[in-house]
Amino acid sequence: MTLPLVTTIESVVFSAADIALAIQRMAEEIARDYAGREIVLLGVLKGAVFVTADLARALDSIPGGPSRIELDFLGVSSYGNASRSSGEVRLVQDTSHSIEGKHVLVVEDIVDNGLTLRYLRMLLGGRAPASLAAAVLLDKPYNRRVEVPVEYVGMVCPDEFVVGYGLDYQERYRTLPYVAKLRAEVFDA
Ligand code: PRP
């Protein structure tokens, strides 16, 4: 059974205003740290599309920040099954330009068990960037399987399955302008 989207939302966890404020705070920190530098914002498809776009525009509007902001994306996919949540991550779409010698900031919507970001840091770190750091809108630190550094965190997410602002459940809900918790019926449907 497919329920209408709005009726399946139990509560809003982070409003659009919360998200905008968190992104602005991250952008101000990043602008300070990368002042005068050329930076590559590397969004991780698909979930980070919205945060990458909003962070790029927030950064661009801060005087004295990076001298140039290049946008690029890559796609990763996690796979495994219920009995073996392997957390294996693989690259399904690479960047369009080389990152060698560049200041790279990986942008993620969420870090949960940490495996995706660890994989990306190892992969990208092996490509000789000038520097590598991560900016993550939502840090969900309760179920880490690996420790991984996150230099810029927007907000700490409660230990709930959340959707919206890029985050999906079975490819739905990504376009919500806020982050929300779903009603339990959704998972039973
Ligand atoms: C989500 C999210 C991160 C990853 C984080 O992506 O966008 O990339 O999971 O989880 P982890 O810390 O537990 O590894 P997902 O695999 O759902 O793909 P999507 O972005 O295309 O929705």
Side-chain angles (χ1 to χ4, degrees):
M1 177 177 64
T2 304
L3 296 163
L5 281 193
V6 173
T7 61
T8 58
I9 289 162
E10 181 171 302
S11 57
V12 173
V13 178
F14 296 113
S15 68
D18 294 333
I19 294 168
L21 194 62
I23 290 178
Q24 185 61 31
R25 278 197 302 258
M26 290 168 86
E28 283 167 11
E29 259 186 85
I30 293 164
R32 269 197 303 275
D33 294 351
Y34 291 88
R37 290 185 183 169
E38 297 189 0
I39 184 176
V40 179
L41 284 190
L42 191 50
V44 183
L45 298 170
K46 299 177 217 167
V49 164
F50 299 96
V51 62
T52 306
D54 287 346
L55 184 61
R57 288 179 293 190
L59 257 180
D60 205 32
S61 69
I62 298 173
S67 58
R68 181 169 184 266
I69 300 166
E70 187 184 328
L71 280 181
D72 209 340
F73 291 90
L74 50 66
V76 291
S77 147
S78 308
Y79 53 97
N81 57 43
S83 60
R84 175 174 157 271
S85 179
S86 67
E88 285 173 87
V89 183
R90 69 191 167 98
L91 190 66
V92 295
Q93 183 179 321
D94 210 338
T95 60
S96 55
H97 295 291
S98 165
I99 60 162
E100 190 176 339
K102 296 187 173 172
H103 294 288
V104 176
L105 187 58
V106 176
V107 183
E108 269 284 31
D109 48 348
I110 194 164
V111 57
D112 186 0
N113 66 35
L115 290 166
T116 305
L117 191 55
R118 185 183 67 166
Y119 167 83
L120 287 172
R121 293 193 77 122
M122 287 177 70
L123 176 82
L124 300 170
R127 295 178 175 184
S131 67
L132 180 63
V136 173
L137 179 64
L138 300 177
D139 182 10
K140 207 172 166 185
Y142 320 96
N143 305 301
R144 283 286 200 284
R145 288 173 64 181
V146 290
E147 284 308 315
V148 63
V150 182
E151 285 79 0
Y152 305 96
V153 172
M155 297 177 285
V156 176
C157 184
D159 193 9
E160 304 280 1
F161 186 87
V162 291
V163 295
Y165 199 72
L167 295 155
D168 74 308
Y169 174 60
Q170 296 182 346
E171 294 301 327
R172 303 177 79 205
Y173 303 99
R174 286 193 201 276
T175 52
L176 293 176
Y178 48 82
V179 171
K181 180 183 172 190
L182 292 180
R183 294 165 68 98
E185 299 96 279
V186 177
F187 305 105
D188 307 329

